[in-house]
PDB file of all heavy atoms in Angstrom:
ATOM      1  N   ARG A 108      37.689  38.502 117.673  1.00 94.00           N
ATOM      2  CA  ARG A 108      38.073  37.749 118.874  1.00 94.00           C
ATOM      3  C   ARG A 108      37.544  38.502 120.105  1.00 94.00           C
ATOM      4  O   ARG A 108      38.291  39.052 120.920  1.00 94.00           O
ATOM      5  CB  ARG A 108      39.585  37.546 118.901  1.00 94.00           C
ATOM      6  CG  ARG A 108      40.075  36.765 117.673  1.00 94.00           C
ATOM      7  CD  ARG A 108      41.539  36.419 117.753  1.00 94.00           C
ATOM      8  NE  ARG A 108      41.817  35.346 118.684  1.00 94.00           N
ATOM      9  CZ  ARG A 108      41.653  34.045 118.425  1.00 94.00           C
ATOM     10  NH1 ARG A 108      41.166  33.665 117.244  1.00 94.00           N
ATOM     11  NH2 ARG A 108      41.938  33.138 119.324  1.00 94.00           N
ATOM     12  N   TRP A 110      34.878  37.443 122.547  1.00 97.00           N
ATOM     13  CA  TRP A 110      34.281  36.868 123.751  1.00 97.00           C
ATOM     14  C   TRP A 110      35.216  35.894 124.458  1.00 97.00           C
ATOM     15  O   TRP A 110      34.803  34.862 124.955  1.00 97.00           O
ATOM     16  CB  TRP A 110      32.931  36.238 123.402  1.00 97.00           C
ATOM     17  CG  TRP A 110      32.113  37.165 122.553  1.00 97.00           C
ATOM     18  CD1 TRP A 110      31.631  36.928 121.303  1.00 97.00           C
ATOM     19  CD2 TRP A 110      31.728  38.512 122.872  1.00 97.00           C
ATOM     20  NE1 TRP A 110      30.966  38.026 120.825  1.00 97.00           N
ATOM     21  CE2 TRP A 110      31.012  39.021 121.764  1.00 97.00           C
ATOM     22  CE3 TRP A 110      31.924  39.349 123.977  1.00 97.00           C
ATOM     23  CZ2 TRP A 110      30.496  40.311 121.738  1.00 97.00           C
ATOM     24  CZ3 TRP A 110      31.409  40.641 123.948  1.00 97.00           C
ATOM     25  CH2 TRP A 110      30.694  41.102 122.850  1.00 97.00           C
ATOM     26  N   THR A 111      36.475  36.266 124.483  1.00 97.00           N
ATOM     27  CA  THR A 111      37.489  35.597 125.284  1.00 97.00           C
ATOM     28  C   THR A 111      37.382  36.127 126.718  1.00 97.00           C
ATOM     29  O   THR A 111      36.550  36.994 127.008  1.00 97.00           O
ATOM     30  CB  THR A 111      38.879  35.901 124.731  1.00 97.00           C
ATOM     31  OG1 THR A 111      39.068  37.334 124.775  1.00 97.00           O
ATOM     32  CG2 THR A 111      39.012  35.433 123.277  1.00 97.00           C
ATOM     33  N   ALA A 112      38.246  35.640 127.606  1.00 98.00           N
ATOM     34  CA  ALA A 112      38.269  36.160 128.980  1.00 98.00           C
ATOM     35  C   ALA A 112      38.497  37.667 128.971  1.00 98.00           C
ATOM     36  O   ALA A 112      37.818  38.423 129.675  1.00 98.00           O
ATOM     37  CB  ALA A 112      39.358  35.450 129.786  1.00 98.00           C
ATOM     38  N   GLU A 113      39.427  38.126 128.136  1.00 97.00           N
ATOM     39  CA  GLU A 113      39.729  39.554 128.065  1.00 97.00           C
ATOM     40  C   GLU A 113      38.557  40.332 127.492  1.00 97.00           C
ATOM     41  O   GLU A 113      38.188  41.395 127.998  1.00 97.00           O
ATOM     42  CB  GLU A 113      40.974  39.781 127.206  1.00 97.00           C
ATOM     43  CG  GLU A 113      41.357  41.243 127.009  1.00 97.00           C
ATOM     44  CD  GLU A 113      41.652  41.984 128.308  1.00 97.00           C
ATOM     45  OE1 GLU A 113      42.355  41.412 129.156  1.00 97.00           O
ATOM     46  OE2 GLU A 113      41.176  43.121 128.462  1.00 97.00           O
ATOM     47  N   GLY A 114      37.946  39.812 126.446  1.00 97.00           N
ATOM     48  CA  GLY A 114      36.841  40.527 125.807  1.00 97.00           C
ATOM     49  C   GLY A 114      35.599  40.618 126.670  1.00 97.00           C
ATOM     50  O   GLY A 114      34.833  41.575 126.571  1.00 97.00           O
ATOM     51  N   LEU A 115      35.396  39.631 127.536  1.00 98.00           N
ATOM     52  CA  LEU A 115      34.231  39.634 128.412  1.00 98.00           C
ATOM     53  C   LEU A 115      34.444  40.494 129.658  1.00 98.00           C
ATOM     54  O   LEU A 115      33.644  41.389 129.947  1.00 98.00           O
ATOM     55  CB  LEU A 115      33.879  38.199 128.830  1.00 98.00           C
ATOM     56  CG  LEU A 115      33.269  37.294 127.755  1.00 98.00           C
ATOM     57  CD1 LEU A 115      33.234  35.855 128.242  1.00 98.00           C
ATOM     58  CD2 LEU A 115      31.863  37.757 127.383  1.00 98.00           C
ATOM     59  N   PHE A 147      37.486  36.981 135.706  1.00 98.00           N
ATOM     60  CA  PHE A 147      38.532  36.992 134.682  1.00 98.00           C
ATOM     61  C   PHE A 147      39.578  35.914 134.963  1.00 98.00           C
ATOM     62  O   PHE A 147      40.001  35.188 134.053  1.00 98.00           O
ATOM     63  CB  PHE A 147      39.202  38.362 134.622  1.00 98.00           C
ATOM     64  CG  PHE A 147      40.377  38.420 133.684  1.00 98.00           C
ATOM     65  CD1 PHE A 147      40.191  38.444 132.311  1.00 98.00           C
ATOM     66  CD2 PHE A 147      41.682  38.416 134.174  1.00 98.00           C
ATOM     67  CE1 PHE A 147      41.265  38.485 131.431  1.00 98.00           C
ATOM     68  CE2 PHE A 147      42.769  38.447 133.309  1.00 98.00           C
ATOM     69  CZ  PHE A 147      42.561  38.484 131.935  1.00 98.00           C
ATOM     70  N   LYS A 148      39.995  35.803 136.216  1.00 98.00           N
ATOM     71  CA  LYS A 148      41.011  34.807 136.591  1.00 98.00           C
ATOM     72  C   LYS A 148      40.539  33.401 136.284  1.00 98.00           C
ATOM     73  O   LYS A 148      41.279  32.599 135.704  1.00 98.00           O
ATOM     74  CB  LYS A 148      41.340  34.949 138.076  1.00 98.00           C
ATOM     75  CG  LYS A 148      42.423  33.988 138.559  1.00 98.00           C
ATOM     76  CD  LYS A 148      42.727  34.201 140.039  1.00 98.00           C
ATOM     77  CE  LYS A 148      43.800  33.212 140.510  1.00 98.00           C
ATOM     78  NZ  LYS A 148      44.075  33.388 141.967  1.00 98.00           N
ATOM     79  N   ARG A 149      39.281  33.088 136.633  1.00 98.00           N
ATOM     80  CA  ARG A 149      38.754  31.744 136.379  1.00 98.00           C
ATOM     81  C   ARG A 149      38.586  31.475 134.893  1.00 98.00           C
ATOM     82  O   ARG A 149      38.897  30.378 134.410  1.00 98.00           O
ATOM     83  CB  ARG A 149      37.417  31.566 137.108  1.00 98.00           C
ATOM     84  CG  ARG A 149      37.529  31.547 138.625  1.00 98.00           C
ATOM     85  CD  ARG A 149      38.456  30.433 139.129  1.00 98.00           C
ATOM     86  NE  ARG A 149      38.021  29.106 138.726  1.00 98.00           N
ATOM     87  CZ  ARG A 149      37.227  28.326 139.443  1.00 98.00           C
ATOM     88  NH1 ARG A 149      36.785  28.739 140.630  1.00 98.00           N
ATOM     89  NH2 ARG A 149      36.866  27.133 139.009  1.00 98.00           N
ATOM     90  N   LEU A 150      38.097  32.448 134.147  1.00 98.00           N
ATOM     91  CA  LEU A 150      37.924  32.260 132.707  1.00 98.00           C
ATOM     92  C   LEU A 150      39.269  32.113 132.005  1.00 98.00           C
ATOM     93  O   LEU A 150      39.409  31.322 131.065  1.00 98.00           O
ATOM     94  CB  LEU A 150      37.141  33.431 132.098  1.00 98.00           C
ATOM     95  CG  LEU A 150      35.685  33.607 132.532  1.00 98.00           C
ATOM     96  CD1 LEU A 150      35.024  34.717 131.739  1.00 98.00           C
ATOM     97  CD2 LEU A 150      34.900  32.311 132.410  1.00 98.00           C
ATOM     98  N   LYS A 151      40.246  32.872 132.445  1.00 98.00           N
ATOM     99  CA  LYS A 151      41.588  32.785 131.844  1.00 98.00           C
ATOM    100  C   LYS A 151      42.186  31.407 132.063  1.00 98.00           C
ATOM    101  O   LYS A 151      42.799  30.833 131.148  1.00 98.00           O
ATOM    102  CB  LYS A 151      42.486  33.869 132.447  1.00 98.00           C
ATOM    103  CG  LYS A 151      43.763  34.119 131.651  1.00 98.00           C
ATOM    104  CD  LYS A 151      43.453  34.744 130.314  1.00 98.00           C
ATOM    105  CE  LYS A 151      44.724  35.012 129.525  1.00 98.00           C
ATOM    106  NZ  LYS A 151      44.427  35.497 128.155  1.00 98.00           N
ATOM    107  N   GLN A 152      42.009  30.849 133.257  1.00 98.00           N
ATOM    108  CA  GLN A 152      42.508  29.505 133.556  1.00 98.00           C
ATOM    109  C   GLN A 152      41.832  28.472 132.660  1.00 98.00           C
ATOM    110  O   GLN A 152      42.487  27.581 132.109  1.00 98.00           O
ATOM    111  CB  GLN A 152      42.258  29.169 135.028  1.00 98.00           C
ATOM    112  CG  GLN A 152      43.116  29.961 136.005  1.00 98.00           C
ATOM    113  CD  GLN A 152      42.682  29.781 137.457  1.00 98.00           C
ATOM    114  OE1 GLN A 152      41.567  29.322 137.742  1.00 98.00           O
ATOM    115  NE2 GLN A 152      43.552  30.153 138.376  1.00 98.00           N
ATOM    116  N   PHE A 153      40.510  28.600 132.504  1.00 98.00           N
ATOM    117  CA  PHE A 153      39.751  27.677 131.661  1.00 98.00           C
ATOM    118  C   PHE A 153      40.182  27.802 130.204  1.00 98.00           C
ATOM    119  O   PHE A 153      40.350  26.803 129.500  1.00 98.00           O
ATOM    120  CB  PHE A 153      38.256  27.975 131.797  1.00 98.00           C
ATOM    121  CG  PHE A 153      37.359  26.989 131.094  1.00 98.00           C
ATOM    122  CD1 PHE A 153      36.927  25.848 131.738  1.00 98.00           C
ATOM    123  CD2 PHE A 153      36.941  27.209 129.787  1.00 98.00           C
ATOM    124  CE1 PHE A 153      36.090  24.932 131.099  1.00 98.00           C
ATOM    125  CE2 PHE A 153      36.113  26.318 129.140  1.00 98.00           C
ATOM    126  CZ  PHE A 153      35.690  25.167 129.802  1.00 98.00           C
ATOM    127  N   GLU A 154      40.355  29.030 129.776  1.00 97.00           N
ATOM    128  CA  GLU A 154      40.773  29.335 128.403  1.00 97.00           C
ATOM    129  C   GLU A 154      42.097  28.659 128.072  1.00 97.00           C
ATOM    130  O   GLU A 154      42.276  28.093 126.984  1.00 97.00           O
ATOM    131  CB  GLU A 154      40.902  30.850 128.288  1.00 97.00           C
ATOM    132  CG  GLU A 154      41.035  31.424 126.910  1.00 97.00           C
ATOM    133  CD  GLU A 154      40.964  32.947 126.988  1.00 97.00           C
ATOM    134  OE1 GLU A 154      41.948  33.567 127.427  1.00 97.00           O
ATOM    135  OE2 GLU A 154      39.923  33.506 126.634  1.00 97.00           O
ATOM    136  N   GLU A 155      43.035  28.712 129.007  1.00 97.00           N
ATOM    137  CA  GLU A 155      44.368  28.138 128.784  1.00 97.00           C
ATOM    138  C   GLU A 155      44.350  26.610 128.865  1.00 97.00           C
ATOM    139  O   GLU A 155      45.097  25.934 128.162  1.00 97.00           O
ATOM    140  CB  GLU A 155      45.351  28.722 129.798  1.00 97.00           C
ATOM    141  CG  GLU A 155      45.622  30.212 129.554  1.00 97.00           C
ATOM    142  CD  GLU A 155      46.389  30.877 130.685  1.00 97.00           C
ATOM    143  OE1 GLU A 155      46.636  30.198 131.726  1.00 97.00           O
ATOM    144  OE2 GLU A 155      46.740  32.068 130.548  1.00 97.00           O
ATOM    145  N   LYS A 156      43.489  26.073 129.729  1.00 97.00           N
ATOM    146  CA  LYS A 156      43.420  24.616 129.911  1.00 97.00           C
ATOM    147  C   LYS A 156      42.633  23.937 128.794  1.00 97.00           C
ATOM    148  O   LYS A 156      42.957  22.810 128.391  1.00 97.00           O
ATOM    149  CB  LYS A 156      42.788  24.293 131.262  1.00 97.00           C
ATOM    150  CG  LYS A 156      42.833  22.810 131.613  1.00 97.00           C
ATOM    151  CD  LYS A 156      42.321  22.561 133.033  1.00 97.00           C
ATOM    152  CE  LYS A 156      42.413  21.086 133.389  1.00 97.00           C
ATOM    153  NZ  LYS A 156      41.930  20.824 134.777  1.00 97.00           N
ATOM    154  N   PHE A 157      41.593  24.612 128.286  1.00 97.00           N
ATOM    155  CA  PHE A 157      40.712  24.012 127.280  1.00 97.00           C
ATOM    156  C   PHE A 157      40.577  24.925 126.053  1.00 97.00           C
ATOM    157  O   PHE A 157      39.490  25.444 125.768  1.00 97.00           O
ATOM    158  CB  PHE A 157      39.325  23.752 127.861  1.00 97.00           C
ATOM    159  CG  PHE A 157      39.299  22.844 129.054  1.00 97.00           C
ATOM    160  CD1 PHE A 157      39.056  23.362 130.317  1.00 97.00           C
ATOM    161  CD2 PHE A 157      39.519  21.481 128.913  1.00 97.00           C
ATOM    162  CE1 PHE A 157      39.030  22.527 131.425  1.00 97.00           C
ATOM    163  CE2 PHE A 157      39.486  20.638 130.014  1.00 97.00           C
ATOM    164  CZ  PHE A 157      39.247  21.160 131.276  1.00 97.00           C
ATOM    165  N   PRO A 158      41.645  25.122 125.306  1.00 95.00           N
ATOM    166  CA  PRO A 158      41.558  26.014 124.136  1.00 95.00           C
ATOM    167  C   PRO A 158      40.588  25.521 123.067  1.00 95.00           C
ATOM    168  O   PRO A 158      40.070  26.320 122.285  1.00 95.00           O
ATOM    169  CB  PRO A 158      43.001  26.050 123.619  1.00 95.00           C
ATOM    170  CG  PRO A 158      43.629  24.803 124.138  1.00 95.00           C
ATOM    171  CD  PRO A 158      42.994  24.556 125.461  1.00 95.00           C
ATOM    172  N   ASN A 159      40.320  24.221 123.054  1.00 95.00           N
ATOM    173  CA  ASN A 159      39.409  23.673 122.045  1.00 95.00           C
ATOM    174  C   ASN A 159      37.946  23.885 122.397  1.00 95.00           C
ATOM    175  O   ASN A 159      37.059  23.534 121.616  1.00 95.00           O
ATOM    176  CB  ASN A 159      39.676  22.172 121.858  1.00 95.00           C
ATOM    177  CG  ASN A 159      39.419  21.370 123.125  1.00 95.00           C
ATOM    178  OD1 ASN A 159      39.660  21.866 124.238  1.00 95.00           O
ATOM    179  ND2 ASN A 159      38.934  20.145 122.989  1.00 95.00           N
ATOM    180  N   ARG A 160      37.663  24.482 123.552  1.00 97.00           N
ATOM    181  CA  ARG A 160      36.282  24.757 123.934  1.00 97.00           C
ATOM    182  C   ARG A 160      35.899  26.204 123.627  1.00 97.00           C
ATOM    183  O   ARG A 160      35.031  26.794 124.253  1.00 97.00           O
ATOM    184  CB  ARG A 160      36.055  24.432 125.408  1.00 97.00           C
ATOM    185  CG  ARG A 160      36.335  22.971 125.697  1.00 97.00           C
ATOM    186  CD  ARG A 160      35.908  22.528 127.066  1.00 97.00           C
ATOM    187  NE  ARG A 160      36.403  21.174 127.317  1.00 97.00           N
ATOM    188  CZ  ARG A 160      35.976  20.380 128.281  1.00 97.00           C
ATOM    189  NH1 ARG A 160      35.031  20.807 129.106  1.00 97.00           N
ATOM    190  NH2 ARG A 160      36.483  19.172 128.452  1.00 97.00           N
ATOM    191  N   GLN A 161      36.567  26.749 122.649  1.00 96.00           N
ATOM    192  CA  GLN A 161      36.262  28.079 122.134  1.00 96.00           C
ATOM    193  C   GLN A 161      36.162  28.000 120.612  1.00 96.00           C
ATOM    194  O   GLN A 161      36.690  27.085 119.992  1.00 96.00           O
ATOM    195  CB  GLN A 161      37.366  29.059 122.511  1.00 96.00           C
ATOM    196  CG  GLN A 161      37.538  29.251 124.003  1.00 96.00           C
ATOM    197  CD  GLN A 161      38.733  30.132 124.307  1.00 96.00           C
ATOM    198  OE1 GLN A 161      38.635  31.346 124.247  1.00 96.00           O
ATOM    199  NE2 GLN A 161      39.852  29.520 124.603  1.00 96.00           N
ATOM    200  N   PHE A 190      34.648  35.109 118.159  1.00 97.00           N
ATOM    201  CA  PHE A 190      35.382  34.012 118.783  1.00 97.00           C
ATOM    202  C   PHE A 190      35.220  34.101 120.300  1.00 97.00           C
ATOM    203  O   PHE A 190      35.396  35.162 120.894  1.00 97.00           O
ATOM    204  CB  PHE A 190      36.864  34.105 118.411  1.00 97.00           C
ATOM    205  CG  PHE A 190      37.701  32.971 118.937  1.00 97.00           C
ATOM    206  CD1 PHE A 190      37.870  31.814 118.201  1.00 97.00           C
ATOM    207  CD2 PHE A 190      38.321  33.076 120.180  1.00 97.00           C
ATOM    208  CE1 PHE A 190      38.653  30.772 118.690  1.00 97.00           C
ATOM    209  CE2 PHE A 190      39.105  32.040 120.673  1.00 97.00           C
ATOM    210  CZ  PHE A 190      39.268  30.886 119.929  1.00 97.00           C
ATOM    211  N   GLY A 191      34.877  32.972 120.929  1.00 97.00           N
ATOM    212  CA  GLY A 191      34.726  32.971 122.375  1.00 97.00           C
ATOM    213  C   GLY A 191      34.395  31.600 122.918  1.00 97.00           C
ATOM    214  O   GLY A 191      34.451  30.592 122.205  1.00 97.00           O
ATOM    215  N   PHE A 192      34.024  31.551 124.188  1.00 98.00           N
ATOM    216  CA  PHE A 192      33.712  30.297 124.868  1.00 98.00           C
ATOM    217  C   PHE A 192      32.437  29.671 124.305  1.00 98.00           C
ATOM    218  O   PHE A 192      31.401  30.334 124.218  1.00 98.00           O
ATOM    219  CB  PHE A 192      33.505  30.549 126.373  1.00 98.00           C
ATOM    220  CG  PHE A 192      34.712  31.073 127.085  1.00 98.00           C
ATOM    221  CD1 PHE A 192      34.892  32.436 127.260  1.00 98.00           C
ATOM    222  CD2 PHE A 192      35.675  30.208 127.585  1.00 98.00           C
ATOM    223  CE1 PHE A 192      35.999  32.925 127.927  1.00 98.00           C
ATOM    224  CE2 PHE A 192      36.797  30.689 128.252  1.00 98.00           C
ATOM    225  CZ  PHE A 192      36.962  32.045 128.427  1.00 98.00           C
ATOM    226  N   ILE A 240      32.441  26.000 134.969  1.00 98.00           N
ATOM    227  CA  ILE A 240      32.728  27.350 134.454  1.00 98.00           C
ATOM    228  C   ILE A 240      31.448  28.109 134.106  1.00 98.00           C
ATOM    229  O   ILE A 240      31.456  29.350 134.035  1.00 98.00           O
ATOM    230  CB  ILE A 240      33.665  27.278 133.215  1.00 98.00           C
ATOM    231  CG1 ILE A 240      34.447  28.601 133.048  1.00 98.00           C
ATOM    232  CG2 ILE A 240      32.893  26.958 131.944  1.00 98.00           C
ATOM    233  CD1 ILE A 240      35.395  28.913 134.163  1.00 98.00           C
TER     234      ILE A 240
END
Side-chain angles (χ1 to χ4, degrees):
R108 300 186 75 80
W110 313 121
T111 60
E113 178 60 44
L115 288 169
F147 175 74
K148 182 179 179 182
R149 292 302 301 268
L150 295 186
K151 195 68 179 174
Q152 290 170 343
F153 186 88
E154 193 173 74
E155 292 169 355
K156 187 174 182 179
F157 301 107
N159 62 326
R160 300 190 189 195
Q161 298 175 82
F190 183 89
F192 297 94
I240 205 64

